[in-house]
Structures are given as structure tokens and as C-alpha cells.
Amino acid sequence: MSRVLISGAGIAGLALANSLKGLGWHITLIEQSPSLRVGGQAIDIRGVALDVAKRLGVLEELERRRLKTRGVTMIDREGNVMHESDEHTLTGGYFADQDIEVIRDELVEVLFETFAPDPAQVWFSDSIVDLELDESGVQVTTQAGKSERFDLVFGADGINSPVRRSLFGADQTNLRYLNRCVANVTVPNTIGLDLWQYAGWETEPRWIVYPSRENQDLRAFVLYDRAEDDPPPASRAEQMALIASMAATLPWKVPEILGDPARYEQFYFGDLAWVDLPRWSQGRVALVGDAAHCPTPMTGQGTSLAIVGAFVLGQELRRHAEDYAAAFARYEERMRPFVAANLKILDAHKDDGARGAIAYAKNAISLDA
Ligand SMILES: Cc1cc2nc3c(=O)[nH]c(=O)nc-3n(C[C@H](O)[C@H](O)[C@H](O)COP(=O)(O)OP(=O)(O)OC[C@H]3O[C@@H](n4cnc5c(N)ncnc54)[C@H](O)[C@@H]3O)c2cc1C
């Protein structure tokens, strides 16, 4: 039986754990947060990723938890209604189509519940600090002082992946910043918003507000451009204060919703970057999800790519259970064109062709190849 360690209990890590279920392997997850990391915006599960969700046995539950947003109202700089649509979503889809829009927290919860690990299988509040690779295994040392040997290790630890850093060095030339930051805030729905989005795309920062969890909460998404030589504040308190001060300048009810950081129930802040690497594995260690290939939230496809990548990796490990090198090679061979097709969505945004690009890219891989 193989002993495997997955770094990161996020979307890619939990999808991979589910994909390896049933192989009889001993799977451990290591997650730096004290519990599952919640927070984040509504994310789309589209195309082939829906098929993966079905094969992993989570589709029905995701359907149940999907956002039932009915439409969107665009607001101008002065707070006037510019237009309303109950047809097109802001992220390039249609309100009525088969894609599933779900809050990131819900996807993480559903994947975790379906994997249903024994508590000892998840090392919360811990992180890998050292990996020593040799022919027969990987010796892992963690921040909490564990030192254990695994047959395979997977880096599913997001855009700033420490596993990627230990494999390919601290040089982050493979991380290209977009000079654009995003914040995602959860606050109580005190304005009575009912299954409807409001958004302002003319202001700086841009913003979207919509209800989640049966209209109990509001999620606010704020996006701003930054100067190349002006990195965002590092501390959470400063990031929150920055978002609150930006919100005070915005129209509609945004100042009321976001003006006071003390009301923020969840807060996520990201300095957007894309990750592009010449290879996704070394020896017995492989990367999956944003750690390997982050197409940025501007494509709306990061989560679908993470789910599909985790599934394809699991599928190849099943097919080549005795030959991890062949499995990793095949995983990369199948996923590369899919990732490339999805990165093209960024160019399509420039000429307003994003809907067509997404419609093509979301299906640009076969799960039965
Ligand atoms: C809390 C949160 C909120 C997010 N909100 C948004 C959003 O609003 N918009 C958006 O576009 N994208 C958001 N993302 C990113 C989005 O989830 C991913 O781009 C995408 O779903 C791919 O998933 P992933 O599993 O590769 O990465 P992630 O979902 O980022 O998961 C990575 C996991 O690894 C864990 N981790 C990180 N470092 C370590 C470490 N050193 N040791 C162990 N574990 C580690 C993280 O805590 C997390 O659980 C968010 C991510 C997180 C963690």
C-alpha cells in the first residue's frame, strides 16, 4: 500500500483525495489552517469539471447547494442603474445554463465530507518545511516537528505553494503578478438582498455584491489595479482597512456594506498572479491546482482546472499504480493543452470574446483519453 501526503486541503487537495479513494492507499492531508479554510467568492464549475464532480460523487450535493441568483443590476459611478440582466452572469456564463455556481466554502465542505477522512488523516495547523527526495521515497519534515516518510507527495497548496518552492527553488519567476488585487468579504445580509447581484464595473475599484447561504450572508468582491512597484499591504488588518477605505468612495450601498471592517465575518485577499511552470513534477512529488497552473480568477476557470487536474492525476495513478513516473508524465501530457486553452480566455476578454472562449475551453479535454 502506498503512503501519500497531500499538502493543502483546498479544492485541488480534496478533489485529489477523493480521486485516490478506493485505491487502498493511505492518504494524509496537511493543511496550514486550524480547520478547513473557508471564505471566497462564488466559483463556477463548468464543462468537463461537472463530469468530474459526477464521477467523484459530489454533483448532486453541489446542485442542491448551487447559488440561485436570478440576475444582475449594473450600477454607474453615481449610483444610477445602468442596466439589468437575468440572462448573462458577470463571469461569462448564463444564469440559466448547466454550469454550477457555488460558494467556494460549500465546495470545500462537500469535497471534505465526501472524502470523510479519519481525524488522524488530516494534520491541521501544520505545513511542510522540508522535503528530501530519494529513489524509494520522500522524507517530510513539518513545522510541528513531524518527520515521516511517504511514497508520494502532492503540492495542492495554492498559488504560493511551498511544495513548488522546495522543488524548484525560491525563484518565483514562474509567478507573474497581474498588478491587480482582489478582496472577498462576507458580511451579514442586513440590506435584505434577495437572490440578486449588484455590480459596478465603471468605478475603481470594481465591485460585486450578492447574497449567499439562502440570503443570510452577503459576499462582496472588490477588484483594483495596483502600481507595479506598490505591493499590497502584508497584514490582514491593513488589507481590511484598505478595502474599507476604498469602499467608502463607492456608490450604491457599498459604503454601508463594507465601510466597517469589524463587520467582516470572513476575509480573503489575493495579489493576483498566474503560475506557469515548465514541469509539474520532480521525482516522487507532483503539483496540482493553482500550485501547478493558476489561470487567475479573470478566466473564471481556476476551480474547474483544479478539479479536473486532480481527477486526471488520480486517474493516471490508478492506471499506472506501480509506475508513478509514467502517471505523472501522462497527467501532464493530458492537462497541458487544457490549461493552455483556458489561459486563452484572458486574451479573449480583451476583444469581448470571453463567452465563446469559455464555451470552448471548458470542454477542451477528454476524461476517457
Ligand atoms: C480562503 C480562500 C479564498 C479564496 N477566494 C477566492 C476568491 O474569492 N476568488 C478567487 O478567484 N479565488 C479564490 N481563492 C483561490 C481559489 O480557491 C483557487 O484559485 C482555485 O479554486 C484552485 O484551488 P486550489 O486548491 O489549487 O487552491 P486553494 O483553493 O487556494 O487551496 C490551497 C490550500 O492550501 C492551503 N495551504 C496554503 N499554504 C499551505 C502550506 N504552507 N501548508 C499547508 N497548506 C497550505 C490553503 O490554506 C488552502 O486550503 C481562494 C482560496 C482560498 C484558500
Side-chain angles (χ1 to χ4, degrees), residues 7 128 131 153-157 160-169 285-287 291:
S7 173
I128 295 174
L131 290 174
V153 173
F154 300 103
D157 34 20
N160 292 307
S161 168
V163 170
R164 185 178 70 228
R165 268 202 303 274
S166 41
L167 282 192
F168 301 115
V285 184
L287 302 172

Side-chain angles (χ1 to χ4, degrees), residues 314-335:
Q315 201 178 31
E316 293 302 334
L317 284 163
R318 271 168 206 278
R319 289 173 177 168
H320 306 278
E322 302 300 321
D323 185 355
Y324 67 87
F328 290 174
R330 194 70 190 114
Y331 152 62
E332 199 160 329
E333 195 184 324
R334 289 176 63 197
M335 278 297 290

Side-chain angles (χ1 to χ4, degrees), residues 11 41-50 91-92 99-100 289-290 293-309 335 338-339 341-346 349 354 357-365:
I11 288 155
Q41 67 188 86
I43 40 96
D44 292 299
I45 307 170
R46 299 175 172 140
V48 176
L50 288 169
T91 49
D99 297 347
I100 291 186
D290 277 1
H293 47 70
C294 176
T296 83
M298 311 315 292
T299 64
Q301 276 289 90
T303 302
S304 289
L305 284 188
I307 295 173
V308 174
M335 278 297 290
F338 185 47
V339 172
N342 280 281
L343 279 176
K344 289 204 178 117
I345 296 170
L346 286 178
H349 270 296
I358 293 171
Y360 167 74
K362 71 182 183 180
N363 288 311
I365 187 170

